Amino acid sequence: VLSACLGRHVRSYSRFEMAGLSAQDRMRQKMEKKAKKKTEAKYSVQQLLEKAEDCMDNFNFELAQMFCQRALDLEPDNITVLEMMGNIFAELGNSEKAKEISFYRSVELRPEEGHAKYMYLGQIHGGEEAVQYFRKGTELMIREYQKQKELVTQAAACDPDNLEVTSQNISTAFCSVAEIFLTDLCLEEGAADNCKEALEKALEYDPSNPEALQLMASYLFSTEQQQEGKTFLMKSIEQWLPSYQKAVTEQQSQGDDDSEQLQNLFPPYESRITTGKLLIEAEEYEVAVEILEGLLEEDDEVVQVWYLLGWVCYLQAEKSDQEAAFKKSARAYLTKAKKLYTKLKCDDSPLLDHTEQLLADLGGAEGSEPSDDEQPPTEDIQDDFVESSDEEEMEQ
């Protein structure tokens, strides 16, 4: 009797809850419940995961989440399901759910299996906590990599080029550790030694990793080893810039402007901004301009790129017989940077202060920025820029 009463109470509460919804919302909830029952009866966990993966491959993360949730309802402690759900939450920008619902639970259930959860937790934490997660993830990656190598040795049928964990993956993981010691923990005792150790490991596993080479350059610059830093920086750029230039040339000759085909040929956008900064520090101005201008072609609403182009042109003006032309370019870039800074409501006062300082210096004897009427137009700003390569300077 009690059970029947409770059943009626639950149904009554459900009807009361539904009464507050619009007809469209009620219909949607009924459809979702119906679909859930049908899916649970029709698909196994493995099939649900395959469907979720297909959705993720097509960037339909909302639908992927639904399939993965069904799998999680069936097997709440399935590590594979938990980690996939964590990845989906991350793609949807919900890092808290990724941590609390997925990755922490996965760590609790299987602390010695699966490196991916540790690498993700390292990304969303900072300082010493991030280092601990990255190091644990790297430890598990190395362990899996060694097992794979043993299997390849024992079984000729294994394909060494199709491994789950590669030496490149491990190199990138060590880079994550090094980067924390270059940033969050840079003032801690032993930070320089820990950073160097991680970078040496990264280059041991992949000597041609552009990220590891560039981070080593950053480390060497930070320890005032300028020439050594420049050597590593140029070696990093050699790993990707020539192939990128060749691909761009081929695309232009074929009239193909599909930038997605080039994505795997160069490091991420933010990494190349750092490349530009380091090149300026190394006084490799022309290469810096080439890389920064390439960034503008991809996205022309990044204040830092306009600022760096203005800064490098300003520095070139000091060492060139085309001083006036470089100053004009610097002023145009910096003017655009300042306008964009205001438009995007940025919060980087040191960048803004330096931009205004440079503009004041470029404004003439009165030491002030010209009015908007006197400033070069930024809508077609490229017309004001001096070309930087030796060949183009000869043509002028």
Side-chain angles (χ1 to χ4, degrees), residues 142-157:
I142 292 172
R143 191 184 303 169
E144 181 62 27
Y145 180 68
Q146 290 171 341
K147 286 181 182 178
Q148 291 173 170
K149 287 178 68 176
E150 291 173 5
L151 289 173
V152 169
T153 304
Q154 295 170 7

Side-chain angles (χ1 to χ4, degrees), residues 45-89:
V45 168
Q46 184 58 40
Q47 290 170 324
L48 288 166
L49 288 177
E50 289 172 1
K51 287 187 171 293
E53 285 180 356
D54 289 341
C55 293
M56 292 176 73
D57 289 341
N58 292 305
F59 304 101
N60 191 345
F61 298 109
E62 289 82 2
L63 188 56
Q65 181 182 348
M66 290 178 64
F67 282 118
C68 205
Q69 184 60 55
R70 306 280 165 75
L72 202 58
D73 292 339
L74 293 173
E75 296 185 14
D77 292 341
N78 186 308
I79 299 297
T80 304
V81 178
L82 284 167
E83 294 196 1
M84 181 179 287
M85 182 63 92
N87 290 328
I88 293 169
F89 281 136

Side-chain angles (χ1 to χ4, degrees), residues 18 21-32:
M18 293 281 281
L21 301 175
S22 67
Q24 185 178 1
D25 287 339
R26 288 198 298 272
M27 180 60 72
R28 181 176 57 79
Q29 284 198 6
K30 287 180 180 179
M31 292 290 288
E32 286 180 355

Side-chain angles (χ1 to χ4, degrees), residues 198-257:
L199 289 172
E200 287 174 344
K201 283 288 186 182
L203 290 170
E204 176 185 328
Y205 277 94
D206 185 5
S208 61
N209 182 349
E211 181 184 8
L213 291 165
Q214 180 165 296
L215 282 170
M216 181 62 87
S218 293
Y219 162 75
L220 291 167
F221 282 135
S222 71
T223 55
E224 299 184 0
Q225 300 176 68
Q226 302 297 321
Q227 191 55 48
E228 294 88 342
K230 182 175 178 179
T231 299
F232 274 95
L233 176 61
M234 300 314 292
K235 187 174 180 181
S236 171
I237 295 169
E238 287 170 7
Q239 305 306 311
W240 62 270
L241 186 57
S243 57
Y244 170 70
Q245 292 168 327
K246 181 180 178 182
V248 169
T249 302
E250 289 176 353
Q251 277 198 353
Q252 290 173 345
S253 65
Q254 297 169 5
D256 182 5
D257 60 354

